[in-house]
Amino acid sequence: MSYFDELGDESPDKVNVKPFHAINKQDEEELLKWCTSVSQVLQKQSITRNSKCKKHLETYRGSTVASKRSDLRRSERQYLNRVNKFIVNHLHDMTETRISQLTRLKPAVNVLPTNDEYEDRNSAKAVKYLIDHLWYINNIEELRSKMLRNSFIFGESFCFVTWNKNKGDLHPMYVQSKKLGLKLDFLDASGNPVLDSEGKPMKIDPKKPVYVGDVDYEIEVPWRVYMQRQKSFDKVDYAFRVRVAATETLKKEYPDKADKLKVSTNVKTYNSDDFSEHFLEQETVYYEFFHKKTKHCPEGYYVKFCDDAILEMDILPYSHGELPFVRMTDMDVPEQLNGVSQYEMVKP
């Protein structure tokens, strides 16, 4: 079962789930069972919230027009001179006005030298140019607008900040390997060989490009992010992210799990273009589980899984130890985890 399904019952029976630190993480079967059961419970508890988010999106797009119903007690002649209702979508204008007001001024970032020496002053200028360049190539202005728009419409928005090893320039060691036509040992910044999962030195294949990697910024809608149910966001220890990929692509990326990767049948996905739902075809639903560093889970944890298999499992790959996303809310209500949209205020 996944977030795509029409689950029907939004108040499931209480499920006794162990805390994450209480399970045996080395036992893949137990870990998979815990992840799937918790994700299903969180999805089922979010039915009403997800439905509101989708209704707000339809309202923003101006598609909530009263349906025409025929009345058998009246003749068709009475409808000949009837004027259709004309709707002005003020919510869209209000939302875009708020966005333009908040994005009018660019956040100021000043890089100050530690002292008045010539070298430090030049270094500060160079870093400022670098920040401006990163701001430009990552299109931060558009990301800010999307984050604000999602938070105003849905009540909250998420921007995942993750590492993509396939981005950036070609790795210098790969360039050297390709130039020499030899498989070289992959060395870290200290000159020590990098080991693979089996403890053997990694080799650079001249036929397979290696990149330096870079950061990815991905805006995600609320119905694909499920957080641990707490009274406030600062108390949330873990979160799930729901994603979809072509089944054959996943089999190519995880050949050792290919026999367990199956097409997600009887699963519907929401189409924001026409506000409809359709069944997935040749695609698989998979989840990413993030657990931040806590007292009982000092290294954090990351699991990538589908209904029948764990694809990846490791400690949290981020040194900051926090959940890898930035969250923005429209309105915060005491004792309520999820943000509330101002669209709720104008419904009456």
Side-chain angles (χ1 to χ4, degrees):
M1 187 176 294
S2 75
Y3 82 106
F4 301 92
D5 294 329
E6 298 178 0
L7 301 177
D9 181 14
E10 63 186 46
S11 302
D13 296 334
K14 185 176 180 181
V15 179
N16 294 320
V17 180
K18 293 181 180 179
F20 181 74
H21 61 80
I23 66 173
N24 181 11
K25 304 174 188 59
Q26 305 303 321
D27 187 345
E28 287 196 20
E29 184 177 350
E30 182 179 358
L31 179 61
L32 179 61
K33 182 179 179 181
W34 186 92
C35 289
T36 52
S37 60
V38 175
S39 63
Q40 289 175 10
V41 170
L42 293 179
Q43 290 174 78
K44 206 166 188 179
Q45 292 174 344
S46 301
I47 293 176
T48 300
R49 176 172 63 90
N50 293 344
S51 178
K52 284 183 179 180
C53 289
K54 295 171 183 177
K55 287 294 183 183
H56 289 173
L57 180 60
E58 295 177 18
T59 304
Y60 171 79
R61 294 272 300 276
S63 65
T64 54
V65 181
S67 61
K68 298 179 180 178
R69 299 179 181 177
S70 59
D71 193 343
L72 298 178
R73 293 174 298 177
R74 298 182 181 182
S75 64
E76 292 295 331
R77 184 174 300 178
Q78 298 179 16
Y79 291 95
L80 293 178
N81 297 325
R82 185 175 180 179
V83 179
N84 291 331
K85 181 184 292 185
F86 183 79
I87 296 178
V88 179
N89 190 2
H90 291 293
L91 278 179
H92 177 275
D93 296 338
M94 180 190 76
T95 302
E96 294 304 315
T97 300
R98 293 179 65 194
I99 294 172
S100 63
Q101 290 174 344
L102 291 174
T103 57
R104 184 179 303 164
L105 298 178
K106 178 181 177 181
V109 179
N110 290 325
V111 182
L112 303 177
T114 56
N115 52 59
D116 199 38
E117 294 183 2
Y118 177 78
E119 184 177 350
D120 283 348
R121 284 190 282 114
N122 281 346
S123 298
K125 290 180 180 179
V127 172
K128 182 62 170 66
Y129 291 144
L130 176 62
I131 292 175
D132 292 341
H133 175 67
L134 293 175
W135 186 283
Y136 173 76
I137 64 175
N138 288 295
N139 203 359
I140 302 300
E141 291 290 348
E142 182 180 355
L143 290 175
R144 291 178 64 207
S145 298
K146 288 182 177 180
M147 283 283 287
L148 289 169
R149 187 173 291 106
N150 280 10
S151 65
F152 294 157
I153 297 173
F154 305 129
E156 62 184 350
S157 59
F158 301 89
C159 178
F160 278 79
V161 186
T162 56
W163 183 256
N164 187 345
K165 64 180 181 180
N166 296 317
K167 287 184 66 176
D169 294 332
L170 291 172
H171 198 284
M173 293 195 64
Y174 167 76
V175 175
Q176 182 181 2
S177 175
K178 186 174 180 62
K179 184 178 180 180
L180 298 176
L182 301 173
K183 290 187 177 182
L184 304 178
D185 289 338
F186 199 102
L187 305 179
D188 58 18
S190 303
N192 300 318
V194 179
L195 305 180
D196 58 17
S197 58
E198 298 179 356
K200 299 179 181 179
M202 293 181 62
K203 296 284 187 179
I204 297 180
D205 190 347
K207 298 180 180 179
K208 297 180 180 179
V210 179
Y211 300 90
V212 296
D214 204 347
V215 173
D216 264 342
Y217 299 95
E218 299 176 281
I219 306 296
E220 195 62 274
V221 291
W223 57 81
R224 295 197 190 102
V225 181
Y226 298 93
M227 298 180 289
Q228 179 190 18
R229 305 313 299 172
Q230 295 288 355
K231 297 297 183 182
S232 59
F233 180 67
D234 61 306
K235 293 182 173 60
V236 173
D237 291 335
Y238 58 80
F240 292 85
R241 183 185 185 188
V242 190
R243 311 190 73 177
V244 176
T247 307
E248 294 302 321
T249 301
L250 289 176
K251 288 183 177 181
K252 191 171 183 179
E253 293 179 356
Y254 303 96
D256 55 331
K257 305 285 185 177
D259 57 330
K260 295 183 179 180
L261 290 169
K262 304 175 183 177
V263 176
S264 297
T265 56
N266 298 324
V267 174
K268 290 182 178 180
T269 179
Y270 180 72
N271 187 352
S272 300
D273 290 335
D274 55 3
F275 313 116
S276 63
E277 294 183 345
H278 61 84
F279 288 100
L280 295 179
E281 297 180 1
Q282 302 301 321
E283 293 176 309
T284 300
V285 179
Y286 70 92
Y287 303 78
E288 287 184 296
F289 168 77
F290 304 94
H291 195 297
K292 68 181 184 182
K293 295 180 181 179
T294 60
K295 177 181 178 181
H296 301 293
C297 190
E299 294 182 316
Y301 215 74
Y302 169 76
V303 184
K304 184 177 180 180
F305 67 98
C306 59
D307 289 341
D308 300 315
I310 290 181
L311 306 178
E312 296 181 26
M313 49 185 289
D314 202 352
I315 62 174
L316 190 70
Y318 306 106
S319 58
H320 53 66
E322 299 294 329
L323 297 175
F325 58 78
V326 178
R327 176 175 174 263
M328 179 183 292
T329 59
D330 188 13
M331 296 190 303
D332 290 309
V333 178
E335 297 289 308
Q336 183 170 330
L337 174 62
N338 299 103
V340 178
S341 171
Q342 287 197 17
Y343 284 29
E344 297 287 330
M345 302 297 110
V346 299
K347 278 185 177 180

